[in-house]
Amino acid sequence: MSINWTNEVEKRKDDLLKDLQKFLQIKSVLDEEDATEDAPLGKGVKEALSYLLTLGEKDGFTPKNVDHLAGHLEFGEGEDLLGILCHVDVVPEGDGWSVDPYGGEIKDGKIFARGAIDDKGPTMAAYYAMKIVKDLDPTFNKRIRMIIGTDEESDWRCVEHYFKNEEMPTMGFAPDADFPIIHAEKGIADYDLVQVKPEEITDSGIKVLSFESGRRYNMVPDFAKAILVVDEDHTKWIQNFEIFTKDEGVKGSYYIENGELVFQVEGVSSHGMEPDNGKNAGLYLAAFLSKLPLSSQGKQFFEFTAKHFFKDSRGIQLGVSYTDDITGDLTINIGKLRYSEAEGGRLGLNMRYPVTFDMDKGKTIIENVEGYSIENFTDSKPHHVSKDDELVQTLKKVYEDQTGERGELLSIGGGTYARSLEAGVAFGALFPGREDIAHQKDEYMYIEDLLKATAIYAQAIYELACES
């Protein structure tokens, strides 16, 4: 059967865009404060999962809701199972958008919204790829299943629960990263470094009543705020702050409220897999505060934070720097920063480490950091599929057929659902040369790329799961 996949996508373009816009208009951000039994991760996440399952049932796929934490859509025949692993949850929108972050606005050849490229746009591309293959009614040698997660941006409770209860695919791919093919992913460890309260605290000096920045381990914080009690004239510290922010090239503001001095810094948010693509507002403000005559507890925390993490995303000062030829440098993103006089300091770290890094040894080094303890440690091990694997070679051929470009094998610092499969890779949907704006303001996906990705996924499903 000779199939023009681009033409098949073009026939369904209008419907694809309409369905994607509706999908993007759902604010599917984790919200455990308003969680219920049938919406364990919040109403928005539940709505996004229900939207995709309902759409699939209407289009003739077999849907299943797995305890409102995950779901799947299935078609095809055979003992073997091809998995396509996607997620409907998105990170918080953040500030500074020029368009409605949940509008799904189309302009200048792009569709704008939180989740446009991570991961609702690619998910809808994969969905329509499945729909195209189903409509062609070929002879199948595998079942095809889109596995829908709801907690990829946080703790992966969705996929953990799913695979405790559902079949593991024979092979699969996740449209949640870059083209051509990602066959290696770094390990990802999230944990908190918590300040051990000093036995003696000197109260003299400036007191930091509160300091806060960041909401997620895997995002570079774009805003930080500190509230200080300053007994002397505020003018000197305000002038120092203005000089600091100007010299560092970040936007700072300040005001006085109820006699307390408030400093704020605006940075640049980005995905935590490469912290240097952003400007960590929390670390900039911590670096400034470390130079002030603070009380002893505050001085220790802010000096430690500035020394070990300000402009050091490679773990050099922490003593865990490492690199290999498969996945590159170890990176550390400080995604959450907190301090108060009452509670002391706390840092939320997102550490992405190479395939050959000894995490047990690294954890021991961190556990021995003086004055700090580790809490809430989680570790997702690295993932690596051989370049000679049948799955990798088939996807490589499909990519080259559809683009006319070489299907290079890549490695990333991000984590996709592909690492939960024995034979799974990340496959798109960000094309080479395109700016990676996942987790940033004014997130978008090119319409041209959306359609091209759909054609690639359709051919990939056909070649992996159908008789030629």
Side-chain angles (χ1 to χ4, degrees):
M1 183 187 294
S2 178
I3 304 165
N4 187 319
W5 298 105
T6 301
N7 285 352
E8 293 295 333
V9 175
E10 195 62 34
K11 291 176 192 176
R12 299 162 176 83
K13 175 182 175 181
D14 291 344
D15 288 341
L16 192 165
L17 290 174
K18 287 176 186 174
D19 287 340
L20 177 55
Q21 283 181 305
K22 292 175 186 175
F23 195 24
L24 291 168
Q25 286 161 3
I26 301 169
K27 185 177 179 179
S28 49
V29 175
L30 175 67
D31 181 11
E32 293 181 278
E33 290 185 7
D34 292 323
T36 61
E37 188 174 340
D38 68 344
L41 303 177
K43 293 178 181 177
V45 173
K46 177 192 175 183
E47 185 182 350
L49 175 62
S50 299
Y51 173 79
L52 212 49
L53 292 176
T54 301
L55 184 66
E57 186 172 26
K58 176 178 72 70
D59 285 335
F61 299 107
T62 302
K64 183 170 184 179
N65 188 326
V66 184
D67 302 322
H68 307 288
L69 280 170
H72 68 236
L73 297 168
E74 185 176 311
F75 73 115
E77 296 175 357
E79 288 188 15
D80 289 341
L81 180 65
L82 171 66
I84 303 169
L85 299 96
C86 306
H87 67 92
V88 300
D89 59 311
V90 299
V91 298
E93 63 274 20
D95 304 315
W97 286 66
S98 66
V99 296
D100 180 354
Y102 300 104
E105 181 178 336
I106 296 174
K107 65 175 183 178
D108 302 326
K110 306 170 185 175
I111 185 163
F112 290 84
R114 174 57 82 226
I117 193 67
D118 182 17
D119 186 40
K120 290 181 176 178
T123 295
M124 193 58 70
Y127 176 84
Y128 263 80
M130 289 169 54
K131 184 174 165 64
I132 288 168
V133 174
K134 181 177 178 297
D135 290 349
L136 292 172
D137 195 25
T139 302
F140 294 98
N141 57 39
K142 293 183 182 70
R143 289 166 293 133
I144 300 99
R145 180 181 290 183
M146 173 178 277
I147 299 168
I148 307 161
T150 59
D151 190 35
E152 192 275 345
E153 298 293 0
S154 294
D155 297 324
W156 285 34
R157 286 165 289 188
C158 50
V159 76
E160 182 180 342
H161 182 77
Y162 182 87
F163 286 120
K164 282 181 182 176
N165 295 278
E166 298 295 327
E167 178 183 358
M168 173 66 71
T170 313
M171 63 174 63
F173 63 86
D176 187 28
D178 298 356
F179 282 123
I181 301 157
I182 294 170
H183 75 120
E185 302 177 11
K186 290 179 181 177
I188 303 174
D190 289 337
Y191 54 94
D192 294 332
L193 271 184
V194 182
Q195 185 181 29
V196 177
K197 213 157 181 76
E199 292 183 7
E200 294 184 13
I201 298 176
T202 304
D203 287 333
S204 60
I206 296 171
K207 291 183 181 178
V208 180
L209 293 185
S210 71
F211 164 80
E212 187 170 344
S213 182
R215 302 169 189 162
R216 296 283 180 87
Y217 290 106
N218 65 341
M219 287 181 72
V220 176
D222 61 1
F223 181 77
K225 179 180 179 180
I227 302 174
L228 281 61
V229 174
V230 182
D231 292 334
E232 53 193 284
D233 184 22
H234 297 149
T235 306
K236 176 182 177 182
W237 311 120
I238 290 172
Q239 288 174 343
N240 287 357
F241 181 69
E242 288 179 324
I243 292 168
F244 176 84
T245 52
K246 182 180 179 181
D247 288 347
E248 294 293 345
V250 292
K251 186 176 180 181
S253 60
Y254 60 87
Y255 58 91
I256 297 169
E257 186 173 62
N258 299 323
E260 295 165 353
L261 178 58
V262 180
F263 287 124
Q264 297 179 153
V265 169
E266 291 182 34
V268 177
S269 181
S270 72
H271 197 293
M273 77 168 101
E274 179 42 270
D276 292 348
N277 286 343
K279 283 195 170 185
N280 192 316
L283 290 180
Y284 276 95
L285 186 51
F288 170 73
L289 294 174
S290 73
K291 300 177 184 302
L292 302 186
L294 304 178
S295 62
S296 59
Q297 178 179 254
K299 188 74 171 171
Q300 195 279 336
F301 173 71
F302 289 106
E303 285 186 347
F304 171 85
T305 301
K307 176 185 176 182
H308 288 83
F309 304 112
F310 183 54
K311 297 184 180 179
D312 179 5
S313 65
R314 266 48 186 175
I316 297 169
Q317 291 296 323
L318 200 60
V320 293
S321 61
Y322 188 87
T323 189
D324 70 20
D325 292 336
I326 302 171
T327 41
D329 291 346
L330 179 150
T331 63
I332 294 177
N333 179 58
I334 310 300
K336 298 191 285 187
L337 305 91
R338 305 285 185 273
Y339 177 84
S340 69
E341 286 290 325
E343 300 294 329
R346 174 182 291 263
L347 300 170
L349 280 71
N350 177 247
M351 188 166 94
R352 297 173 186 249
Y353 59 92
V355 167
T356 58
F357 179 74
D358 185 342
M359 187 61 215
D360 291 336
K361 182 179 177 182
K363 186 181 179 187
T364 299
I365 292 171
I366 298 161
E367 286 172 335
N368 289 325
V369 172
E370 187 177 353
Y372 288 81
S373 64
I374 292 182
E375 293 183 6
N376 307 318
F377 183 87
T378 63
D379 182 22
S380 177
K381 298 299 182 185
H383 181 66
H384 181 214
V385 178
S386 169
K387 63 180 181 180
D388 299 319
D389 190 274
E390 177 191 353
L391 171 70
V392 173
Q393 288 302 310
T394 302
L395 296 181
K396 183 175 186 292
K397 172 191 174 296
V398 168
Y399 179 82
E400 291 174 350
D401 286 351
Q402 287 294 322
T403 66
E405 298 172 1
R406 184 165 171 250
E408 294 184 42
L409 302 186
L410 309 173
S411 65
I412 63 165
T416 72
Y417 286 160
R419 70 175 56 214
S420 65
L421 304 176
E422 288 183 11
V425 299
F427 190 45
L430 187 70
F431 284 92
R434 296 299 200 196
E435 182 184 7
D436 185 359
I437 33 65
H439 295 202
Q440 297 184 36
K441 64 184 179 183
D442 288 345
E443 181 181 342
Y444 64 85
M445 185 174 187
Y446 282 98
I447 303 298
E448 173 191 356
D449 293 355
L450 177 70
L451 303 180
K452 192 190 299 183
T454 305
I456 290 172
Y457 294 144
Q459 184 182 342
I461 293 168
Y462 182 80
E463 297 209 7
L464 288 167
C466 303
E467 301 291 345
S468 57

